[in-house]
Amino acid sequence: MVDVIGAAGLLGAETDAEMLAVRLAHAQRLGNMGWAEWHLHTGETTWSEQVYAIFGRDPGQGPIALPDLAGHVEPGDAATLDRLLWSVLQGEEQVHAEFRIRRGPGDLRDLRVVLEPLAGPGGPVGMHGVIQDITGRRRAERMVSESRRQLLEAREQAAEERHVMLALREAILPAPAGCLDLPNTGIAVRYVPAEKTANLGGDWFEAAQAADGRLLLAIGDVSGHGLPAIARMAQLRHALVGLAMTGQAANRLLDWLNELVLHQLTDTTATAVIGHLDPETRVFAWAQAGNLAPILVRDGAAAHLGQPRGVLLGAVSGRPYELATTRLLPGDVLLMFTDGLVERRTRDIEAGLALALAAARRIRGEDLDGGLDRLLADIGGPNPEDDACLLGVGILG
């Protein structure tokens, strides 16, 4: 009876050992790691099953002896292996290093090795430790690093492109000269670039005194983004400056600009508001081409001017533009703007217009610059998707 119980105990112990070995092997496969042992005096080398898999070696060939290990290491990492083995033989308790092995043509693997000495009476008699294949981890890290590098380069390139485009716009659209000191009239302009470099577009403005004493006021937006839109914007604005020398009314100027866009600026459309302000009579005579009507601020109230008929520039030929007139009073503020000021992808344009009207009520001609800055802040700041122009005219009492 005792013999039976003893036999059962031995059988149970063997079963537990087998299960432990299976679990250990499974853990090594999951972690892609194994253990190895080298004896210096006997030359005996022992590897676990997973180390053979890591080296891509048939177990029938046996493990790689310590003197032959360097032959499987990538030449550039041989010095790392030498330092690792030297540290172990000096009796350091535990050392680790990473190096690469080449299992075959095009099959380079990253290994992490942790070794410690096998102690003997007179010092280390060998070494043992753990070998782990970390190729996947290092490959992922290199991919992340490369992605970060490319992202940084893209950001630097975008910043440079933005700098170039803004510098070009500034050269094309300098601050209005000769207007700020007009008697009884104040002028302020804000160009608000899009937050995204790729969305810098063709918004423009003009404020200049004509030969007959009237003040030419205009804003517009050319379709598209980037340098092509900026180039077309420059053509349209320069054309307006030249055509305005004829002294013709704003609606006639839009007729000519429409023909220019139709016949010279292929696949382009544009919006615009053009007007003349007579400083003596304070009459603002204006026309529009597909643009939102200006806002008039008077006595603490803000409202859009009644919009005359006018189609988008470049849309169709032969459709006349209508001229409208508005007499401004001392204390009035007139705001002309492109749609990028009030449009947002995240809200309806009517909501943007309502915000602009509410903010405009607080603008005063005596503090036109500060008023425009506050309006821009109140409606949500720069538009991520589009640039905008805002031109303010204050009639001083």
Side-chain angles (χ1 to χ4, degrees):
M1 185 67 174
V2 175
D3 291 340
V4 174
I5 295 174
L10 289 173
L11 181 60
E14 290 177 359
T15 302
D16 289 345
E18 290 174 356
M19 290 180 62
L20 181 60
V22 170
R23 289 172 179 169
L24 181 58
H26 184 59
Q28 290 185 63
R29 285 193 297 272
L30 288 177
N32 204 5
M33 66 175 65
W35 57 267
E37 191 170 282
W38 289 274
H39 288 265
L40 299 178
H41 298 320
T42 65
E44 181 183 359
T45 301
T46 307
W47 278 4
S48 70
E49 182 180 345
Q50 191 60 29
V51 178
Y52 286 98
I54 291 173
F55 276 80
R57 188 175 178 86
D58 187 343
Q61 295 177 283
I64 299 173
L66 192 60
D68 300 328
L69 189 59
H72 296 265
V73 174
E74 185 70 5
D77 294 346
T80 301
L81 175 63
D82 289 342
R83 287 193 297 269
L84 175 70
L85 299 180
W86 177 256
S87 298
V88 177
L89 294 176
Q90 295 306 303
E92 295 188 26
E93 289 189 0
Q94 188 181 92
V95 293
H96 62 86
E98 291 185 18
F99 53 82
R100 295 166 295 167
I101 62 169
R102 188 171 293 279
R103 302 198 309 191
D107 189 5
L108 199 63
R109 314 296 294 180
D110 292 273
L111 303 188
R112 184 173 187 269
V113 180
V114 181
L115 296 177
E116 58 184 12
L118 286 170
V125 297
M127 62 190 72
H128 65 157
V130 176
I131 300 173
Q132 183 179 23
D133 187 337
I134 57 172
T135 305
R137 184 191 309 172
R138 291 295 176 258
R139 183 180 294 126
E141 290 172 354
R142 287 192 289 269
M143 290 175 63
V144 170
S145 177
E146 176 63 16
S147 297
R148 287 175 177 169
R149 184 191 64 80
Q150 292 178 0
L151 178 61
L152 181 59
E153 287 184 356
R155 286 177 174 173
E156 290 175 349
Q157 182 178 357
E160 180 63 24
E161 290 175 356
R162 183 182 183 85
H163 175 75
V164 170
M165 284 191 284
L166 288 175
L168 179 59
R169 287 193 59 95
E170 187 175 347
I172 297 171
L173 290 174
C179 295
L180 298 177
D181 297 328
L182 287 174
N184 301 322
T185 305
I187 301 289
V189 174
R190 293 294 183 272
Y191 167 68
V192 187
E195 290 182 344
K196 298 180 181 178
T197 299
N199 291 326
L200 289 174
D203 289 51
W204 57 275
F205 62 84
E206 180 58 64
Q209 194 165 16
D212 59 7
R214 293 180 302 166
L215 185 61
L216 173 66
L217 302 169
I219 55 97
D221 183 8
V222 175
S223 60
H225 297 95
L227 290 174
I230 294 175
R232 292 191 293 268
M233 172 270 290
Q235 290 179 269
L236 192 65
R237 178 176 175 271
H238 291 157
L240 170 63
V241 173
L243 292 171
M245 297 297 292
T246 64
Q248 292 292 318
N251 60 331
R252 184 59 178 145
L253 297 179
L254 284 176
D255 282 330
W256 289 333
L257 290 179
N258 185 48
E259 293 302 313
L260 171 70
V261 174
L262 282 169
H263 300 294
Q264 297 296 324
L265 305 182
T266 308
D267 298 326
T268 300
T269 57
T271 63
V273 173
I274 299 175
H276 291 99
L277 176 61
D278 188 323
E280 298 296 328
T281 64
R282 298 190 298 274
V283 171
F284 179 58
W286 66 286
Q288 65 83 27
N291 202 92
L292 296 168
I295 292 174
L296 176 62
V297 182
R298 176 175 291 171
D299 297 330
H304 291 283
L305 296 180
Q307 187 154 309
R309 291 192 302 271
V311 298
L312 199 70
L313 296 176
V316 64
S317 181
R319 297 281 294 274
Y321 293 90
E322 189 176 40
L323 187 69
T325 58
T326 301
R327 184 179 296 277
L328 302 180
L329 303 177
D332 284 354
V333 173
L334 186 68
L335 300 175
M336 301 165 62
F337 55 94
T338 55
D339 57 6
L341 183 74
V342 294
E343 281 189 327
R344 296 290 191 279
R345 183 173 295 181
T346 56
R347 74 184 182 208
D348 187 80
I349 189 172
E350 296 301 327
L353 288 170
L355 288 172
L357 286 170
R361 290 197 294 266
R362 296 188 289 274
I363 298 179
R364 298 292 179 267
E366 296 80 5
D367 183 26
L368 200 53
D369 279 297
L372 295 192
D373 290 336
R374 288 189 293 272
L375 183 145
L376 290 171
D378 290 345
I379 64 173
N383 187 338
E385 308 296 337
D386 197 7
D387 50 358
C389 274
L390 174 60
L391 191 155
V393 181
I395 306 301
L396 307 179

